[in-house]
Amino acid sequence: MRVEFPKYWLRIHSLPESKRYPENDFERQIIFERYSRFGTELLGEDARCMIIRSRLNGFQSREAFIPEIEWTPIHQVIEDEAYHWDCSRGYITWNSQALRKLLLAIAEDQEEHIAFLSETTDNVFIPYDGGADGFSFDAALLQKLSEQFAPWRSLHPLGL
């Protein structure tokens, strides 16, 4: 999405100096706080959200990290003969504390390809191992978040 919609995109890094993975509980707490604050600013406190997950070639998710969600298949993307993505959606109320286990599993690459879409703001939050991407059509919000989370952003000219 960031390639197609760069003006609607903002990225934060999950740890200082663009460190990708946590090595201890202190760093895990930093990651959780960053995901929590960035996600809440984008999605809204206690906002109803669609959660979307994508699985390559039918790979099963690690359900232990995902709260009880009723998943509905929504789309399949066929890249070529060897690769296809199965996409499903469910609905949750955004509460970072309730999603802590999932967010930390994403940070440590134990879970992946999860996106949250707020039904209230239409903003998107996509955490991954190493950071999180946010998307919004609200230019003023993105500018505010860019300033608010400047210490967590990359120094790379493209924001990577």
Side-chain angles (χ1 to χ4, degrees):
M1 282 178 46
R2 82 173 160 76
V3 174
E4 295 296 322
F5 304 105
K7 72 180 189 177
Y8 305 118
W9 166 73
L10 181 67
R11 173 172 285 173
I12 64 160
H13 288 178
S14 54
L15 287 168
E17 299 176 14
S18 303
K19 184 176 177 182
R20 191 165 189 119
Y21 297 107
E23 294 179 14
N24 54 51
D25 287 340
F26 178 75
E27 290 179 341
R28 283 180 196 85
Q29 184 60 28
I30 290 171
I31 291 170
F32 175 71
E33 287 174 8
R34 288 184 180 195
Y35 283 172
S36 178
R37 288 184 54 203
F38 190 52
T40 300
E41 289 287 337
L42 282 163
L43 303 172
E45 187 72 42
D46 297 322
R48 177 126 169 102
C49 294
M50 179 188 308
I51 180 172
I52 301 168
R53 69 176 180 188
S54 300
R55 297 292 175 247
L56 182 62
N57 294 339
F59 178 79
Q60 296 300 309
S61 70
R62 298 159 185 103
E63 299 296 333
F65 300 124
I66 297 178
E68 287 192 25
I69 295 173
E70 184 176 326
W71 293 101
T72 303
I74 56 172
H75 192 64
Q76 185 176 69
V77 177
I78 299 173
E79 289 187 17
D80 56 37
E81 292 178 14
Y83 298 102
H84 70 273
W85 290 91
D86 295 305
C87 303
S88 300
R89 75 168 177 231
Y91 292 91
I92 62 161
T93 298
W94 173 257
N95 177 315
S96 60
Q97 200 61 45
L99 296 165
R100 181 183 180 93
K101 195 174 185 179
L102 172 60
L103 294 172
L104 290 175
I106 292 168
E108 297 197 54
D109 198 27
Q110 297 171 349
E111 182 59 79
E112 58 192 355
H113 308 296
I114 301 285
F116 300 89
L117 170 67
S118 173
E119 292 184 341
T120 305
T121 66
D122 290 331
N123 295 335
V124 180
F125 171 62
I126 307 172
Y128 64 91
D129 58 321
D133 289 338
F135 294 88
S136 178
F137 292 112
D138 183 339
L141 174 66
L142 285 179
Q143 181 61 41
K144 176 190 148 214
L145 296 180
S146 179
E147 293 167 7
Q148 180 179 342
F149 298 120
W152 303 353
R153 301 204 53 233
S154 171
L155 298 176
H156 188 283
L158 297 176
L160 300 173

